[in-house]
Structure formats: structure tokens, C-alpha cells
Amino acid sequence: MAVTAPDVTAEIARQRPALCGLLGALVRTDTTNPPGDTRRAVDLVASRLRSAGVDVQILADEPKKPNLLLRLGSGRPELLLLTHLDTVPPGDPGAWRHPPFGAQLVGTRLYGLGAGDPKGCAAAMVVAVETLARLAVPLAGSLLLALVSDEEVGGARGTEMLVTRGFLRPDRVIVGEVTNNRIAIAEKGVLWVRLVTRGRTAHGSTPWTGVNAIRAMVRVLAALDAEIGQALARRTHPLTPPPSLSFGTIRGGIATNVVPDRCEATIDRRTLPEESPQEALAEIDRVIARLRCEDPDLDVTVEPIQTGPPVETSPEAPLVRAAQEAAITLGLDPSPVGYQQASDGRFFSVRGVETILFGPGIPELAHAPDEYVDLDDVMTAATFYAQVAIKLLGRS
């Protein structure tokens, strides 16, 4: 007798204790990035999957940052479930009422660093794939799972490496990120820029004999804020937050009584889906060019240090339609939303691959003390991933 979507849903429900146990084990496993060592987490998941009779492949560009891949079925089309295993550092431990690696359970809430972002997604995806394999659901194509490293610092050793080297070439992608179990079809792009101003040292008692690099940086940042930052609030997109310009770091000087000859600042610029990081960089360059015209002695350099294209998938795409059908079945709101942060989805969207983001957890809790995820939502996410796979790949 053919396996149906209700059969899969019921089997996932029976797996609740196993899913909760896996999530707790992942949260107790330190994968903070930096340093981004995910070996123990990958070994944990790989051992579980192999025990269930599912073959996995481990690929690593750096030994401490492995990536786990598996495939069910064969051929095209390929649906990829992808999320990351690394987390940001916990920050001040004193700010946490529940230990960041404690995986404490309070009611249906599991507390801990990465409980939602992204280990709730990882546990849900693993159980979804495990269930489809256990029930031998026939697939007309391939279902892939990728649990990657390095996302929190750009993805160079994780998704970017897997895509650029041809290990991942899916037709459709669901990226596991914290969306409160909403279907996100758009996210802003990202541009990180390093600014460096240079001057000339002098004694602090005679500052007019030197050139103050910090003062020059203050002028540059003030101009960028006035000419770009304030204007961004007037630009809108129906799904994402407004574009933004944030000054992230600033460093300069060697002593209070020495005029600084160097100052460095970094900028985080988020772009709307219809903008490009290249356009955003050109906008910054135009402001700097105007400042140089006003002051030919201004010594400032602009260096892009990270770029990421935005994500935007048509609401009419087959992946979105299948996701909405699954959401309705599960009693979720099927209307598309935008994702507030940036994700590994950009590596696929820029290549024209249908990409959505979906996962349990409240976005505002990500990267914050006392992060938690509701286990009921994790169970729903696992069922969602499995149902979308059946809708897109299922064969009667």
C-alpha cells in the first residue's frame, strides 16, 4: 500500500521524544563561531542517520568545519533542505537565566544558544528525512539534506564552498532559518565595507601640527549617515524591513596624548531585494568622492569585505505553492513574508534557484540571551519539511 502524507505526519508525531532528544543534544554541543568547530555536532547527526540506515557524506574544506550531506532518491528534480550548525557566541553568561548550553526544558520551551537559530531547524529536517527514509516513500527525483558549517561568518567553508565546487546544484531549496514557521520568500542583501582614514601623528598638546585620522573618520561617517542612512528609511519593500546603514566597529589611535594617524571603521549596509550590493557600494563611493572634492587632503579608502545578494522568489513559484499547501494543512498562515536577517539562501537565489526560508522559533530571540524554541513548533516544522518534499517529489 502506498505511503500517504498522513502516514508520514503520524510517524513524525511518534518521533517527538527522539526529535526533542536530538535537539537537546545539539544545543548542548558547543558550535559557536568563532571558532566554528562543528565536528561533534556533525558526528552526532551522522551517527544517528547511519544507525537508521541512511548513508551520509562528510565534506570539509577545513577539518574543524565539516558539512554533512545525504541524498534520498535519484535524478531530477532535486529539492534541498539546508541549514547550518554553527551559532554565534553566547556573550555575557551572566545575561542568561538559562545556561546557553543547558538545553533546559520549561513546559514546551527548550532554552539554549541556537535552540531556534538554527538547531531547531536542523533537528526538524533530520527527523523529516529520517521518516521519509524509514517509510521508504517513493520519490520522483532527489531529496537532499545539507547541514553546513560557517554560516554565521559568511559561509565560505560551508554553503559557498559546496555550491562553487558543484556539490550542491538543486532545483529548489528550503533554507532552515528562524521564521516563526512562516514562509519567507524575500530577504535583504548585505554589504560590509571597511573604511580607513589616514593622517599624521603629533603631540596631543599641539594637535594642529598633525592630521587627525579620527576626526576625518567622524566627518566621513557623518556624511554617510546624512546622505545615505536617513534616506534609506524612505525606501520600502512589501515583505522585508527597510534597507539600513549601520556603523559596526571603529578603531583608532594609540594613546590619548597622541594625534592618531589611522582610523578604521566598518559598515553594515543591508539592501532591498530590488537593490544590489554593487549599487549600494557605488552610493557610498559617490559620497566619498564628494568629500574628496571638498578636501583634496582627505585620505580615505573604501574596501568591500563581504557581499551577499538579496533573495526574492516569486509567490507563484511551484516551491512556494507547495509550501503554502503544506502550511494550510498544518493550520499555519500561508501568506508569504520576508526574512529579517541574511541567510545562505543567497548562494542559490543568485543562481536563479527557487528559494524559501522556513523554520521554528521567534526571529527576535535569535542571537539573544535566553533564546528558546517551542517544541510544538519544531514538530510542526518537521512535518512541514516532509509534506513539501512529498508534494514536490512524491510518486504514487
Side-chain angles (χ1 to χ4, degrees):
M1 186 169 61
V3 178
T4 66
D7 295 331
V8 173
T9 299
E11 178 60 22
I12 288 176
R14 285 191 286 270
Q15 295 301 312
R16 183 183 180 109
L19 188 154
C20 296
L22 172 61
L23 176 56
L26 286 173
V27 170
R28 287 188 289 272
T29 303
D30 184 351
T31 58
T32 53
N33 198 1
D37 188 339
T38 56
R39 288 176 294 178
R40 289 177 56 218
V42 166
D43 289 345
L44 188 159
V45 175
S47 176
R48 176 190 175 103
L49 289 168
R50 286 167 177 154
S51 296
V54 180
D55 291 331
V56 300
Q57 183 179 14
I58 309 298
L59 298 171
D61 195 37
E62 180 180 322
K64 293 182 179 181
K65 296 185 176 184
N67 305 282
L68 181 148
L69 277 69
L70 70 81
R71 176 188 297 268
L72 299 182
S74 62
R76 297 281 178 179
E78 290 185 355
L79 171 64
L80 169 65
L81 305 179
L82 178 142
T83 193
H84 60 101
L85 292 173
D86 59 322
T87 71
V88 296
D92 178 11
W96 291 74
R97 292 179 297 122
H98 303 275
F101 303 107
Q104 289 185 347
L105 189 60
V106 181
T108 60
R109 293 179 177 179
L110 190 143
Y111 286 84
L113 178 66
D117 181 21
K119 293 178 179 179
C121 302
M125 287 181 169
V126 169
V127 168
V129 171
E130 243 181 12
T131 301
L132 295 173
R134 182 183 305 110
L135 297 180
V137 175
L139 301 177
S142 300
L143 175 63
L144 284 69
L145 172 66
L147 302 182
V148 302
S149 299
D150 215 36
E151 190 271 351
E152 294 290 2
V153 295
R157 307 290 188 179
T159 301
E160 183 177 11
M161 182 271 288
L162 296 173
V163 170
T164 56
R165 296 190 185 179
F167 293 110
L168 293 178
R169 295 183 297 169
D171 300 291
R172 300 182 177 101
V173 181
I174 302 176
V175 178
E177 287 289 358
V178 180
T179 69
N180 208 12
N181 280 353
R182 296 292 300 275
I183 302 164
I185 65 172
E187 71 176 43
K188 295 189 291 184
V190 60
L191 167 68
W192 287 0
V193 173
R194 178 184 293 112
L195 301 174
V196 177
T197 52
R198 294 174 178 81
R200 186 174 66 253
T201 57
H203 198 285
S205 65
T206 56
W208 52 86
T209 63
V211 177
N212 194 309
I214 292 179
R215 177 175 292 174
M217 182 63 76
V218 168
R219 182 184 174 199
V220 169
L221 297 181
L224 291 172
D225 184 51
E227 297 180 37
I228 298 177
Q230 296 178 26
L232 295 181
R234 297 190 292 271
R235 303 178 191 175
T236 61
H237 185 276
L239 297 179
T240 70
S244 57
L245 181 78
S246 175
F247 304 139
T249 65
I250 187 166
R251 300 179 183 86
I254 57 172
T256 303
N257 61 346
V258 177
V259 173
D261 64 349
R262 189 180 191 278
C263 184
E264 176 182 308
T266 57
I267 296 174
D268 183 320
R269 169 74 161 90
R270 300 298 168 111
T271 63
L272 292 181
E274 63 266 25
E275 296 181 285
S276 74
Q278 291 73 29
E279 292 169 347
L281 180 60
E283 200 171 32
I284 292 171
D285 285 336
R286 285 194 292 272
V287 174
I288 301 297
R290 182 187 61 75
L291 293 175
R292 287 195 183 107
C293 286
E294 294 177 357
D295 179 7
D297 293 328
L298 176 66
D299 187 348
V300 55
T301 57
V302 181
E303 176 194 2
I305 52 178
Q306 182 171 313
T307 61
V311 173
E312 188 163 30
T313 299
S314 168
E316 304 301 322
L319 174 58
V320 177
R321 291 300 192 195
Q324 290 177 311
E325 291 173 8
I328 292 170
T329 300
L330 295 169
L332 302 174
D333 187 339
S335 54
V337 298
Y339 181 57
Q340 295 183 19
Q341 291 82 28
S343 77
D344 277 351
R346 66 188 186 275
F347 296 114
F348 303 99
S349 182
V350 74
R351 291 169 168 81
V353 178
E354 291 179 22
T355 303
I356 65 170
L357 301 97
F358 184 95
I362 301 170
E364 290 76 14
L365 296 178
H367 298 189
D370 290 320
E371 178 184 356
Y372 71 83
V373 69
D374 192 292
L375 296 176
D376 292 339
D377 293 338
V378 180
M379 292 296 299
T380 298
T383 308
F384 173 90
Y385 297 137
Q387 286 200 7
V388 174
I390 292 172
K391 289 179 185 297
L392 291 173
L393 301 173
R395 182 172 57 196
S396 58

